[in-house]
Amino acid sequence: MSVSISNCFSNLLCQEDSSGVFSGESPGCSNSDLESPACVEESISVFIKNERHFVPDYDCFSRFQSPSLDAAARLDSIAWILKVQAYYGFQPLTAYLSVNYLDRFLCSRRLPQTNGWPLQLLSVACLSLAAKMEEPLVPALLDLQIEGAKYIFEPRTICRMELLVLRVLDWRLRSVTPFNFIAFFAYKLDPSGDFIEFLISRATEIILSHIREVIFLEYWPSCIAAAALLCAANEVQSLSVVNPEHAESWCNGLRKENIMGCYRLMQEIVLDNTRRKSPKILPQYRVTVRTRMRSSDLSSSYSSSSSSSSSSPNKRRKLNQTHHWVHDDKGNNTEE
C-alpha cells in the first residue's frame, strides 16, 4: 500500500492557539525568571530526568560487538555525516542528532543488510531530518548526497525512509544531547567566566570526535558533556587542578562513577589521537658514491662534455624509461 507524503505530514499541523507559542513564556518560569539560576537549574534537572528517553537501548553497545550490527559500517556512516556537516557548515548539534537518530534506529530495527545501500539510505535520511530540525537553510536531498556517497537515492526514496525513521523513533526528534548541558557545566567549572568560550568550543570538538566510538553509547548525554569539559579543562593551566570527582556536584542526577569512567576513556582517546597527529620524523638515508678518478680523467671529462651533448638525449631517454608492473588476478606479475 502506498503512503501519501502529504497525508502523513498533514497530521503535524498544530491545532493550538498560536498566541501562547510566540509569547516567549516558559511553562515553568515567567519571563522575569527565565535567566534566574533557579530556573536554569530546574531546566537542567528536567533534561537529566528525560535524557534516558533519547539514548539507544542499554544493550546497543553489546549488539555492535555481534554480527547483528556492523560497527565498521557505522563508522563509515558517521564519517560521511561529519564530512557533509563540514562541507555545508552545519552546526555540531546537527551532526550529533544525525548520529543519535542513526543509533536509535539501528538498535530498534534491523536493516536488510548491515552495510551497503540500506545503511547509506538511513544515514542520508537521519542527516536530512537533523538538518530540518536545526538548520535555517537545508540543501535539497540530491545536493545532500555528496562527499563520497556511494549511492544516489531519489528524493521520494529518502522521504519514505524519513517517515520510517520517524515512526521507529516515535517522532521524538528533539533529543536531549550533551549540548544541552555544556554551557551550564562550563560555568560551574569556571565561575569567573574567563575561559567559558574555550571550554565550550574545545568540549564540542571532543564530543564530535568521540561520537564515532561505539563504547560511548553506554554513557548518557549529561555524563558525556561533563567528561568532555573536564578534558578541555586539562588544557587550561589554571583549571587543570580541578578535581574531576567534584563534577558530581554540578547538578542533581549526575553520578561520579559514570563521569569518571567516561572521562578516563576520553582522555585515553584524546592522547591516542594526539600521538597519531604528531609529525613523524622520516629516517634520512645518506647515499655515497665511491669512485676512483684521477686528475687527468677529471680534465678529460670537461673536454669531452661538448662532444657528448649530442648523445645525451639518448641517454636521458634510457634513464627515464620506467617499468610498470601489473599484478593480474592469477597472481602473475607482467611488465609493461
Side-chain angles (χ1 to χ4, degrees):
M1 181 180 66
S2 61
V3 178
S4 174
I5 303 297
S6 59
N7 291 338
C8 290
F9 282 97
S10 62
N11 296 329
L12 294 179
L13 296 176
C14 182
Q15 304 297 329
E16 300 180 61
D17 184 8
S18 60
S19 59
V21 176
F22 298 101
S23 63
E25 297 183 359
S26 174
C29 305
S30 62
N31 287 336
S32 59
D33 295 335
L34 283 176
E35 300 299 329
S36 66
C39 187
V40 175
E41 292 270 2
E42 181 182 353
S43 299
I44 295 298
S45 299
V46 172
F47 286 142
I48 291 180
K49 180 181 179 180
N50 295 329
E51 64 180 341
R52 68 179 184 273
H53 300 300
F54 301 96
V55 295
D57 296 337
Y58 67 92
D59 63 338
C60 190
F61 171 69
S62 59
R63 289 182 60 191
F64 272 110
Q65 309 303 314
S66 64
S68 61
L69 292 176
D70 192 341
R74 174 187 179 273
L75 190 64
D76 293 338
S77 297
I78 295 176
W80 176 80
I81 289 174
L82 292 176
K83 287 181 181 179
V84 178
Q85 180 250 343
Y87 180 88
Y88 283 111
F90 290 160
Q91 302 176 61
L93 177 58
T94 302
Y96 192 94
L97 284 176
S98 304
V99 179
N100 177 263
Y101 301 160
L102 181 77
D103 288 333
R104 287 164 58 191
F105 184 96
L106 291 175
C107 292
S108 302
R109 180 73 64 91
R110 289 180 179 271
L111 293 175
Q113 58 191 66
T114 56
N115 53 21
W117 68 265
L119 187 58
Q120 182 174 326
L121 177 59
L122 175 62
S123 302
V124 175
C126 290
L127 179 58
S128 174
L129 289 172
K132 292 173 183 177
M133 290 291 295
E134 299 299 331
E135 301 299 328
L137 297 176
V138 180
L141 292 176
L142 287 176
D143 296 334
L144 204 61
Q145 303 176 74
I146 57 172
E147 293 296 322
K150 297 180 181 179
Y151 307 92
I152 302 298
F153 303 99
E154 295 181 355
R156 60 181 180 179
T157 304
I158 300 174
C159 289
R160 289 172 184 155
M161 191 65 193
E162 288 180 353
L163 287 174
L164 179 59
V165 172
L166 289 170
R167 293 192 189 102
V168 171
L169 302 186
D170 197 21
W171 295 78
R172 290 182 290 113
L173 300 186
R174 182 61 65 188
S175 303
V176 177
T177 71
F179 301 106
N180 294 113
F181 304 96
I182 281 186
F184 178 78
F185 289 169
Y187 278 99
K188 291 289 185 176
L189 182 61
D190 179 28
S192 64
D194 296 335
F195 304 99
I196 292 297
E197 292 185 4
F198 170 79
L199 290 174
I200 294 176
S201 175
R202 180 60 181 135
T204 300
E205 294 177 359
I206 294 174
I207 291 171
L208 286 185
S209 64
H210 286 64
I211 58 176
R212 299 178 175 91
E213 306 294 336
V214 180
I215 193 172
F216 286 101
L217 294 176
E218 293 186 327
Y219 298 99
W220 288 4
S222 60
C223 180
I224 293 176
L229 282 167
L230 290 172
C231 289
N234 289 335
E235 302 178 18
V236 180
Q237 185 175 4
S238 60
L239 298 178
S240 59
V241 296
V242 174
N243 189 347
E245 296 183 357
H246 293 167
E248 184 183 19
S249 63
W250 292 349
C251 186
N252 294 330
L254 296 177
R255 295 184 178 181
K256 179 176 64 176
E257 57 273 12
N258 294 340
I259 295 176
M260 292 303 300
C262 186
Y263 168 66
R264 294 190 185 99
L265 187 60
M266 277 189 179
Q267 275 190 313
E268 294 176 3
I269 298 178
V270 168
L271 291 176
D272 185 58
N273 292 338
T274 303
R275 295 190 194 101
R276 291 180 181 178
K277 293 180 180 179
S278 60
K280 297 180 179 180
I281 302 176
L282 298 176
Q284 297 180 352
Y285 299 96
R286 178 178 297 177
V287 179
T288 58
V289 180
R290 296 182 179 179
T291 59
R292 294 182 179 179
M293 182 176 291
R294 295 174 295 181
S295 58
S296 58
D297 297 334
L298 183 61
S299 59
S300 62
S301 63
Y302 283 104
S303 61
S304 61
S305 60
S306 58
S307 61
S308 63
S309 60
S310 59
S311 61
S312 59
N314 295 329
K315 293 181 180 179
R316 290 194 187 99
R317 278 195 292 271
K318 292 180 180 179
L319 292 174
N320 291 334
Q321 287 179 351
T322 56
H323 298 275
H324 301 277
W325 295 90
V326 180
H327 184 77
D328 58 19
D329 296 335
K330 299 179 180 180
N332 300 322
N333 292 326
T334 60
E335 180 181 3
E336 293 183 349

